[in-house]
Amino acid sequence: MSSALFDPLQLRDLVFKNRLWVPPMCQYSVLAEDGVATDWHWLHYGALARGGVGGIIVEATGILPEGRISIRDLGLWNDRQMEALRPVAEQVKSFGARIGIQLSHAGRKASMFPQWGFSVEGPMPKSDGGWSTFAPSGVPFDGYPAPVELDQRAISRIVDAFGVAASRAMEAGFDFVELHGAHGYLIHEFLSPLSNYRDDQYGGDRERRTRFLVEVLRAVRSAIGNAPLLLRLSATDWAAGGLTVDDTIYIVRTAVAETVDLIDASSGGTTPTAAIPVGPGYQVPFATAISRATGVLTAAVGMIDSPELAEHIVATGLADVVLIGREHLRNPNFAMHAASTLRAEISKVAPGPYLRAYRR
């Protein structure tokens, strides 16, 4: 039987063997705190690729040391980090999957304790290895230290750093790049009126709030040539006075003009008090609304954990790609399971040594 989920997808010159991908998920596993990938990353991403997915987006990777979410995040601000990521990319591609990397600056939500390995949570003070954070405005995230407001020189430095990191990603062998413009991190902080109080060319109406994103997109596109460029956005802040889907559609139209190839539609992250109605597929309508209003390809993400739901999303045109995270942590072979459940051609998903598991 045919399955829309296991149909190929082409972005520019890059063909993905199916539409079931792994989204970026922080591992907090750089125990040396130097941003350099380890055997954990090689094994983790290799296992996911062996499981049969069409694409993998490596976790949020800091473009600058102060842009990391935590001290245990990956980085791509120097060549040593680039060389450590090269075997990760090679391993994933050896299993027929495409690999991208999410480039990120965490803004005012940087310098956090990692989500495992520590007995405390929240912002990491400088006495424990934390650092000053930076944002469009000196307004703190609830319960966090106030960030330093970025001036023009600092903004230009960050834009340049995105471009340099993207260039390193290409040199390391990645197939594509995703920019992290969601979840209350720096790009999202510029976009949202809940975190951007500037009155210069980077703040005010939504055109000016989008300027920083446009500059980053131009720097990254220049660095990666014809490679696909993805953008993760929070389609709504889920809060009064914050970003709405209509705002995001405006942002996407601007991004498409800057040659973004696919929108990864997520939500939230600007305020911890947002009332988010979490449930299976709760963010899928954002991907659908963005696609229908702009014509851009979209990826749906968020509590999609069954083959049937994933198939429905793609087969009915609600999104072009399904990103499944937590279920892949529970079962790195989820793609094989999905293909078997949906009666797709299993030989195109499972590696040869695993095919016996699906023979009756």
Side-chain angles (χ1 to χ4, degrees):
M1 294 177 62
S2 63
S3 162
L5 186 64
F6 289 95
D7 284 343
L9 177 72
Q10 183 166 347
L11 297 180
R12 295 182 178 252
D13 296 331
L14 190 69
V15 177
F16 296 77
K17 65 182 180 181
N18 61 53
R19 295 156 184 256
L20 174 55
W21 301 0
V22 178
M25 292 181 285
C26 290
Q27 297 297 293
Y28 303 113
S29 294
V30 182
L31 303 187
E33 302 174 8
D34 57 3
V36 176
T38 68
D39 287 347
W40 172 267
H41 300 91
W42 182 85
L43 182 61
H44 168 66
Y45 290 112
L48 293 170
R50 183 203 60 195
V53 295
I56 292 173
I57 307 173
V58 168
E59 66 208 74
T61 299
I63 59 158
L64 291 166
E66 64 272 20
R68 292 172 295 170
I69 299 169
S70 84
I71 55 175
R72 290 186 173 178
D73 287 13
L74 287 175
L76 202 43
W77 64 82
N78 65 43
D79 288 348
R80 182 166 167 248
Q81 295 161 344
M82 176 185 72
E83 291 302 330
L85 285 166
R86 191 185 300 277
V88 177
E90 291 173 349
Q91 166 88 322
V92 167
K93 292 194 289 188
S94 74
F95 290 112
R98 300 300 190 177
I99 184 168
I101 190 166
Q102 186 185 68
L103 300 181
S104 175
H105 191 300
R108 66 181 186 173
K109 292 175 75 174
S111 189
M112 297 288 295
F113 279 102
Q115 289 187 5
W116 66 270
F118 291 80
S119 60
V120 292
E121 299 178 346
M124 176 178 276
K126 292 180 180 179
S127 58
D128 289 318
W131 56 87
S132 297
T133 61
F134 301 86
S137 303
V139 180
F141 187 72
D142 292 10
Y144 288 41
V148 177
E149 182 171 314
L150 292 163
D151 60 20
Q152 178 62 63
R153 181 176 180 182
I155 289 172
S156 297
R157 173 176 175 262
I158 292 171
V159 170
D160 290 344
F162 269 106
V164 172
S167 179
R168 285 196 174 101
M170 293 294 100
E171 189 171 345
F174 285 90
D175 295 308
F176 64 96
V177 165
E178 176 174 275
L179 294 179
H180 199 346
H183 302 165
Y185 298 127
L186 186 65
I187 292 175
H188 186 189
E189 289 166 17
F190 272 95
L191 294 172
S192 175
L194 296 180
S195 48
N196 185 343
Y197 291 80
R198 301 176 73 97
D199 59 5
D200 62 0
Q201 68 268 38
Y202 296 101
D205 63 24
R206 61 188 183 184
E207 179 181 1
R208 294 196 296 273
R209 295 197 313 271
T210 307
R211 185 185 301 271
F212 176 72
L213 170 60
V214 168
E215 292 183 1
V216 172
L217 288 170
R218 289 174 179 169
V220 171
R221 172 52 69 198
S222 176
I224 68 175
N226 196 48
L229 176 56
L230 281 57
L231 174 62
R232 173 166 273 195
L233 291 173
S234 282
T236 176
D237 284 328
W238 297 107
L243 286 176
T244 66
V245 175
D246 285 344
D247 292 324
T248 298
I249 288 170
Y250 168 84
I251 293 164
V252 170
R253 285 185 175 133
T254 302
V256 170
E258 297 298 329
T259 66
V260 167
D261 301 294
L262 183 143
I263 297 295
D264 173 356
S266 190
S267 69
T270 298
T271 171
T273 60
I276 303 177
V278 176
Y282 73 105
Q283 295 180 139
V284 174
F286 302 136
T288 307
I290 291 167
S291 178
R292 291 179 179 171
T294 67
V296 70
L297 298 178
T298 59
V301 64
M303 292 192 69
I304 303 168
D305 56 11
S306 75
E308 294 83 0
L309 178 55
E311 174 71 13
H312 171 74
I313 290 166
V314 176
T316 60
L318 299 179
D320 302 282
V321 171
V322 173
L323 296 168
I324 294 183
R326 288 175 175 83
E327 190 61 29
H328 270 114
L329 295 181
R330 292 186 283 265
N331 176 12
N333 295 330
F334 175 76
M336 295 186 221
H337 165 66
S340 178
T341 299
L342 299 171
R343 299 185 180 181
E345 188 174 344
I346 194 68
S347 62
K348 293 184 178 180
V349 183
Y354 283 32
L355 288 175
R356 73 187 72 179
Y358 300 97
R359 291 180 180 139
R360 297 292 186 264

